[in-house]
Amino acid sequence: MEQFTTVIGALNVGFYQTLKLFFVTLLGSIPLGLVVSFGSMSRFAPLRWLTRTVVWVIRGTPLMLQLYIIFFIPGMVLPGGSPWPAGYSGRFLAASVAFIINYACYFSEIYRGGIQGVPAGQQEAGLVLGLTKRQIFFKVTLLQMVKRIVPPMSNEIITLVKDTSLATVISIQEIIWAGKAFLKSSHGYSGLMWPMFFTGVYFLAFSGVLTLLFDALEKKLDYFK
Amino acid sequence: MALLEVKNIEKHFGDTQVLRDISFSLTEGQALAIIGSSGSGKTTLLRCLNFLETPDSGTIAVRDKVIFDAADPTTQLEGEVREKRLHFGLVFQNFNLFPQYTALQNVTLALHLRDEGNKHREAIDDRGRELLEQMGLADRAGHYPHQLSGGQQQRVAIARALALKPDILCFDEPTSALDPELTGEVLKVIRGLAEQKTTMIIVTHEMAFARDVADEVIFMDEGVIVEQGPAREVIGNPREERTRQFLSRYSET
Ligand SMILES: Nc1ncnc2c1ncn2[C@@H]1O[C@H](COP(=O)(O)OP(=O)(O)O)[C@@H](O)[C@H]1O
Ligand SMILES: [Mg+2]
């Protein structure tokens, strides 16, 4: 029992890091994704192609590789050395930047689909009724975009829950890192296998809660087609 | 006096010319039908009138006031275009109702947004209900578009266009997206509007309807007006060979 309490305590500390990375990533990538999506729909072709190339590269390479690159490469090429502060806070910052960029690119494609998925006729119907562009956006198209965006966003966000564990490659002390530590030795225990497997319960519970939340949101938007 | 005077409208999309020297006028209280095969430029013409497309040349005047002149950019200022659009209403082929609003909300949205301070909230809703009743949809006010049949949706769209009291109500093939058994209810509503002397421009493939309801008919082909005249004459007894060919294709199918 004492072992259990100790392990749960340690896992909770790790899970706090998991949650922190999760929410920081969402906070950064949800708005950044919107900026990226505007870039990828720009009427200025060079900007459009540049943005789409970046999105293609980010979506086409593993997040784990991006974590390594963002953490190590700047220190190797910049004359002033690594821009990341020393220690854990620097690693966490690097991980956050990598996650935010990666997820912003995924979100941007979802936004683009949502925005372009609203038929042009909706905008035109608003125009012939004398609405301003602003009114059309807020009163006509926005909710239709949100409705299109919610299901793919919820998929992506649940993937993010699990992706946070990748940050362990640059020694972010998230929950799997905390569980694995009991294999060697942690909090006076060593050779414990079960804490690592037990982290799965945390992931299941968290993604379960998110699934319920998103299902409720989708239901709320179900009143129109 | 002509309510609407369209002069020498030309429109290109890239290298293709879609409208050539389109001129016509419309008297208040009259219904004008525009017929012609697919691709002849009918939709583009309606879109020009509603400022959804900008003609390359020509003028549009309502009640002798020029509201659009291709040669005069001051007639095309964005803020003013928004108000000028309200001379016209447009009923789209595929309705374009706002899916997240009920039938009543679709009809009243623009009125509510123009009602600063929400002073006339109830009067606007009453007007919306009245319009829906006129369309035979009194019992559908609280329904969302996806809960309505195509014919009902199109009638809501007509009520929505009427809500702003346009001088001229334009219809772009209002029954083409409907199942055949639903066209009747929509045509009946338009017929009712004609009887009330609503000024209308109706693009349609319903030849019998155009002949019976419209005062004037324009036959368009490849971006030009080939023939124009009283509805019974143009459809019943066309002067131009091209009109005759077009109409004979219609009576066969
Ligand atoms: N936005 C556009 N860009 C390029 N060509 C267009 C556009 N809209 C219409 N056209 C072309 O203009 C011609 C007339 O189209 P339209 O006005 O829709 O004809 P109708 O309504 O009589 O069928 C067609 O050849 C069509 O392909
Ligand atoms: Mg058309």
Side-chain angles (χ1 to χ4, degrees), chain A residues 121-122 124-133 135 139-141 143-144 222-225, chain B residues 47 50 52 78 82 85-86 90 92 96-101 109-110 113 144 146 160 164:
Chain A
Q122 291 290 305
E124 292 176 352
L127 286 175
V128 296
L129 291 171
L131 307 194
T132 62
K133 294 242 164 83
Q135 288 171 333
K139 300 288 179 181
V140 176
T141 44
L143 193 62
Q144 297 182 49
D222 224 20
Y223 73 93
F224 72 92
K225 291 260 150 37
Chain B
R47 289 173 62 85
N50 283 274
L52 291 176
E78 189 170 325
R82 205 158 56 75
R85 278 197 173 105
L86 298 181
L90 179 58
F92 298 86
N96 290 338
L97 290 181
F98 306 132
Q100 72 268 45
Y101 293 122
L109 177 68
L113 289 175
Y144 288 92
H146 77 273
R160 180 175 71 174
L164 291 158

Side-chain angles (χ1 to χ4, degrees), chain A residues 13-198:
Chain A
V13 173
F15 191 54
Y16 173 69
Q17 293 298 314
T18 299
L19 286 180
K20 210 165 84 177
L21 183 58
F22 175 80
F23 284 112
V24 165
T25 302
L26 284 189
L27 225 60
S29 58
I30 286 177
L32 182 62
L34 199 58
V35 175
V36 176
S37 77
F38 288 148
S40 69
M41 291 183 288
S42 170
R43 257 177 279 178
F44 181 58
L47 176 62
R48 189 171 65 238
W49 290 116
L50 178 71
T51 317
R52 290 194 186 183
T53 308
V54 171
V55 170
W56 171 66
V57 169
I58 297 288
R59 299 210 313 161
T61 56
L63 175 54
M64 193 192 281
L65 186 60
Q66 293 162 20
L67 277 162
Y68 283 129
I69 289 173
I70 282 177
F71 185 56
F72 290 112
I73 299 285
M76 290 156 64
V77 297
L78 292 179
S82 174
W84 308 116
Y88 186 73
S89 67
R91 294 205 301 280
F92 191 85
L93 186 62
S96 304
V97 168
F99 270 79
I100 287 172
I101 293 175
N102 183 277
Y103 271 82
C105 288
Y106 278 96
F107 290 163
S108 77
E109 289 293 284
I110 294 176
Y111 293 156
R112 184 152 74 95
I115 292 169
Q116 293 179 338
V118 177
Q122 291 290 305
Q123 164 112 8
E124 292 176 352
L127 286 175
V128 296
L129 291 171
L131 307 194
T132 62
K133 294 242 164 83
R134 216 188 140 77
Q135 288 171 333
I136 293 173
F137 180 74
F138 285 106
K139 300 288 179 181
V140 176
T141 44
L142 181 60
L143 193 62
Q144 297 182 49
M145 290 172 192
V146 170
K147 185 179 166 78
R148 289 181 156 76
I149 284 168
V150 166
M153 282 297 272
S154 83
N155 273 332
E156 215 52 65
I157 288 172
I158 285 165
T159 304
L160 171 62
V161 174
K162 297 168 285 175
D163 271 0
T164 51
S165 60
L166 287 170
T168 192
V169 301
I170 57 169
S171 304
I172 299 303
Q173 299 168 4
E174 47 72 60
I175 185 165
I176 294 190
W177 181 92
K180 226 167 107 184
F182 285 96
L183 269 176
K184 281 192 186 149
S185 90
S186 178
H187 295 74
Y189 296 99
S190 58
L192 289 187
M193 196 79 132
W194 71 266
M196 193 176 79
F197 296 127
F198 194 74

